[in-house]
Amino acid sequence: MKLRGSPCGPLAGAFPVPGDKSLSHRALIFGALATGETVIAGLLESEDVLATAEALRAFGVRVERFGPGRWRVIGGQWRSPEAPVDCGNSGTAVRLLMGAAAGQGVRATFTGDSSLSKRPMRRVTGPLEAMGVRIEGGDRLPLTVAGPVTRGLAHLNVPASAQVKSAVLLAGLGTDQPVEIAEPVPSRDHTEIMLAEFGVEVERDGTVTRLGAKRTLEARLVEVSGDPSSAAFVLGAAAIVPGSEVSVKDVLLNPHRSGFVMALQRMGADLAMANIRGRGGETIGDVRVRFGPLFGAEFTAEEIPSMVDEIPILAVVAAGAQGETRIEGLDELRHKESDRLALMAEGLAACGVDARADGDALVVRGGAIRGGAAVRTEGDHRIAMSHLVLGLAAEQPIVVDEAEMIGTSFPTFRDAMRRLGAKIDEVEE
Ligand SMILES: O=C(O)C1=C[C@@H](OP(=O)(O)O)[C@@H](O)[C@H](O)C1
Ligand SMILES: C=C(OP(=O)(O)O)C(=O)O
């Protein structure tokens, strides 16, 4: 399905964004490792998260939906699935499940779609192998992981990856040996926070995270807050469509996830945060953005992990700003659902924006956005949503070639945007 984002009037409204994808995967997996019945409210029911739910069933775990966003997971000992476990498009699903399965001492073969099958996995299987886990396969799926974990590990998490850190911590639940991870640049810490909520002893000492003696989980209630990576499309659109004013409610504001909000502020956006509070060990709140003048800015490699999935929409915001924006340290973007660095430079340029990749940096010079182009997404949800938002602020509509994949992270994107006044519609073929 092709979608078109067209120039439109001001966006206005307030709404709660759907549940956070990172928290949703973790709530299901941790519930599956816990003793007792975990109840989850606000789970993101996107394809990536549903892939995790289905995978857990293959491991013999009872996972049930009992209402919109309301799920029940009955944890216990996992069994080795006979058939390969298909993780679809989701890097988080496959990498966290490899670690968790190893820690449970089971054997499983993991597969994924064509995009996931191109993504590097050695970054996870390497550390798991060092923990005594048997691995069959190379750097790409399909791969077989066979527990048990027989050794502890001290791991240096470079490049900063929360998926690798999580896989090591989850595998570490299966041993009483020391397990620690050092991070020169911190990646998102939802695993550390949620494991502690589930009763695991997690010691955090500056840049080092260590598992303590208690490595068992007890079931609990998990309330999933709004996804800042989805909110970024809404806020980014409000920042560049003249006259807009939009608020997102109950969104996760963990400092390792709020890089995009900080970036908007640095670019001069009219932005306010309110109602900041704690929930389930995380910080959440509401964010309001009003259209106003934006200015180009520089972002360094150290800032990237706090907005790694938001770089495509940040590049779109940069297209609507005055002057040059330079975003450094984007090598990891080449290893996501697509080569996001190359596709953003290509898509923006096709829409008449002065944008280019410069080594592992993205350089965007803002100004009038011509649009009037069809853009290639290579099935990457964030590339699709970013260009649809760009179309709202362009002179001519922008068409994206494949929009189904938006369902992997933000299935209600089109409805949510349309309710705010955005013009996003299907292109008849
Ligand atoms: O742990 C997570 O939930 C995620 C970590 C990030 O990946 P890396 O760990 O590869 O940086 C991010 O890009 C992904 O969307 C979700
Ligand atoms: C990179 C992403 O997800 P994952 O790694 O889980 O596929 C994303 O959602 O942008």
Side-chain angles (χ1 to χ4, degrees), residues 11-12 33 37 76 103 106 147 150 164 184 209 212 256 290 308 328 331 356 392:
L11 306 180
L33 295 170
E37 180 179 307
V106 299
T150 56
V164 173
T209 302
H256 303 300
R290 232 185 246 144
V308 65
E328 297 276 357
D331 186 52
R356 65 191 159 89
L392 307 179

Side-chain angles (χ1 to χ4, degrees), residues 48-412:
D48 274 14
V49 175
L50 297 179
T52 287
E54 207 43 49
L56 290 170
R57 291 187 178 119
F59 284 104
V61 179
R62 253 179 72 199
V63 183
E64 295 165 0
R65 179 181 194 267
F66 64 93
R70 302 184 80 79
W71 289 64
R72 189 169 18 240
V73 184
I74 293 106
Q77 181 54 51
W78 294 17
R79 61 155 197 251
S80 302
E82 276 158 33
V85 176
D86 183 0
C87 293
N89 190 245
S90 176
T92 311
V94 73
R95 295 194 178 116
L96 268 59
L97 286 167
M98 286 197 284
Q104 284 284 299
V106 299
R107 175 193 170 90
T109 299
F110 293 92
T111 62
D113 71 4
S114 62
S115 154
L116 192 57
S117 304
K118 287 188 205 124
R119 294 175 65 183
M121 295 297 150
R122 191 68 202 157
R123 51 180 63 193
V124 172
T125 55
L128 292 183
E129 211 161 40
M131 298 174 90
V133 176
R134 280 176 299 122
I135 305 290
E136 293 161 27
D139 191 27
R140 300 284 189 268
L141 298 178
L143 268 166
T144 300
V145 171
V149 170
T150 56
R151 290 190 288 274
L153 182 71
H155 184 66
L156 185 64
N157 193 24
V158 178
S161 164
Q163 295 175 357
V164 173
K165 175 173 60 176
S166 303
V168 169
L169 291 172
L170 293 175
L173 300 175
T175 175
D176 53 12
Q177 300 289 310
V179 172
E180 68 169 48
I181 294 150
E183 297 196 283
V185 180
S187 61
R188 64 190 69 189
D189 59 356
H190 307 308
T191 293
E192 297 88 310
I193 291 171
M194 205 189 283
L195 275 181
E197 293 282 311
F198 271 87
V200 173
E201 237 178 89
V202 181
E203 296 159 11
R204 303 181 66 183
D205 176 7
T207 61
V208 179
T209 302
R210 233 174 260 116
L211 285 179
K214 181 174 178 300
R215 299 187 187 182
T216 50
L217 288 79
E218 287 96 44
R220 54 172 288 110
L221 169 69
V222 184
E223 284 179 279
V224 179
S225 298
D227 194 327
S229 304
S230 296
F233 295 104
V234 178
L235 299 175
I240 60 169
V241 175
S244 299
E245 178 167 347
V246 162
S247 320
V248 288
K249 300 211 163 296
D250 301 338
V251 63
L252 200 56
L253 290 174
N254 177 318
H256 303 300
R257 294 293 299 286
S258 25
F260 178 76
V261 168
M262 299 301 147
L264 280 184
Q265 272 184 328
R266 188 157 353 134
M267 294 173 84
D270 182 349
L271 181 149
M273 284 180 262
N275 213 3
I276 298 190
R277 60 207 192 273
R279 182 194 272 174
E282 297 279 2
T283 303
I284 71 166
D286 306 340
V287 185
R288 187 222 2 95
V289 170
R290 232 185 246 144
F291 173 79
L294 294 169
F295 304 94
E298 293 209 357
F299 299 97
T300 63
E302 290 69 38
E303 297 177 89
I304 303 308
S306 69
M307 53 175 166
V308 65
D309 295 337
E310 287 74 82
I311 302 301
I313 184 66
L314 180 60
V316 165
V317 170
Q322 296 166 34
E324 187 175 282
T325 294
R326 189 177 173 88
I327 316 171
E328 297 276 357
L330 298 182
D331 186 52
E332 271 299 291
L333 260 69
R334 298 196 185 276
H335 307 293
K336 299 294 181 186
E337 283 81 328
S338 70
D339 178 342
R340 289 179 174 167
L341 177 51
L343 282 189
M344 281 315 297
E346 177 186 311
L348 288 172
C351 296
V353 177
D354 180 356
R356 65 191 159 89
D358 175 15
D360 70 354
L362 182 62
V363 186
V364 180
R365 180 163 282 281
I369 303 161
R370 191 193 63 223
V375 167
R376 209 161 60 87
T377 65
E378 287 193 357
D380 185 325
H381 52 135
R382 298 205 195 274
I383 301 294
M385 289 185 277
S386 297
H387 286 96
L388 290 170
V389 169
L390 186 67
L392 307 179
E395 289 160 8
Q396 298 290 325
I398 295 171
V399 172
V400 300
D401 63 352
E402 238 183 292
E404 286 86 355
M405 297 305 278
I406 291 173
T408 60
S409 67
F410 194 174
T412 51

